[in-house]
Amino acid sequence: MNEIIEKARELGELIQNSEEMKNTKNLEILQDNDEKAQELLKEYNLQRMNLARDMQNNKISREEAVAKNNEAFEDMLSKSDTIKKYIEAKKEFDGLVNQVNQILNFYITGQDPNCTHDCGTCGGCH
């Protein structure tokens, strides 16, 4: 088997067995089994659909829709620790995956996604 494919499989297994992944999956299960959380998610999704419809029908501006969506999201989080904990875990897991992707991209392209090309911001290239 190609060594690159084998290493990709190993990396996939490491990510799958990471604490970030396990925590996200466990909190997702808790959220799925939490009736209050499910009801809040349904309400939030309905609000999002209504905001999208209102924006499409020019009843509200895009900025107003975004503001109302953000407000509804924060309201939902304030009412459910289960949802809040799941979202925090998901952000942590997504951060891990993004970091892995950035490292791979660096080695493939030679470009550091964090490089501003202003060596005063980091002390120079390595």
Side-chain angles (χ1 to χ4, degrees):
M1 177 175 287
N2 187 326
E3 184 181 1
I4 294 171
I5 301 301
E6 183 60 35
K7 294 295 182 186
R9 288 176 195 248
E10 287 177 33
L11 178 59
E13 286 178 20
L14 287 170
I15 292 170
Q16 183 180 41
N17 294 318
S18 70
E19 287 304 311
E20 292 86 351
M21 177 95 171
K22 289 176 186 176
N23 192 33
T24 300
K25 288 289 184 184
N26 288 336
L27 289 167
E28 182 179 31
I29 291 167
L30 287 175
Q31 178 180 277
D32 288 347
N33 292 318
D34 183 329
E35 289 181 32
K36 179 183 175 187
Q38 290 305 304
E39 189 59 39
L40 288 168
L41 286 165
K42 286 178 190 174
E43 289 173 19
Y44 173 68
N45 287 326
L46 181 60
Q47 284 179 301
R48 287 184 59 156
M49 289 189 321
N50 289 336
L51 286 170
R53 183 197 62 228
D54 289 348
M55 190 176 66
Q56 189 174 22
N57 293 333
N58 295 320
K59 291 183 179 180
I60 60 173
S61 68
R62 176 171 171 70
E63 293 78 20
E64 190 177 0
V66 168
K68 286 184 177 188
N69 181 67
N70 290 343
E71 184 180 308
F73 184 77
E74 291 300 324
D75 184 52
M76 177 182 66
L77 291 182
S78 73
K79 293 178 180 177
S80 175
D81 280 343
T82 304
I83 296 171
K84 187 175 184 176
K85 287 177 183 175
Y86 168 72
I87 289 175
E88 289 169 357
K90 182 79 168 95
K91 282 182 185 178
E92 193 173 320
F93 175 72
D94 289 346
L96 172 67
V97 172
N98 286 335
Q99 234 179 335
V100 168
N101 285 332
Q102 286 177 355
I103 292 167
L104 289 173
N105 189 52
F106 173 74
Y107 281 96
I108 292 168
T109 66
Q111 294 180 337
D112 183 349
N114 298 314
C115 181
T116 63
H117 300 290
D118 174 7
C119 293
T121 63
C122 68
C125 295
H126 311 294

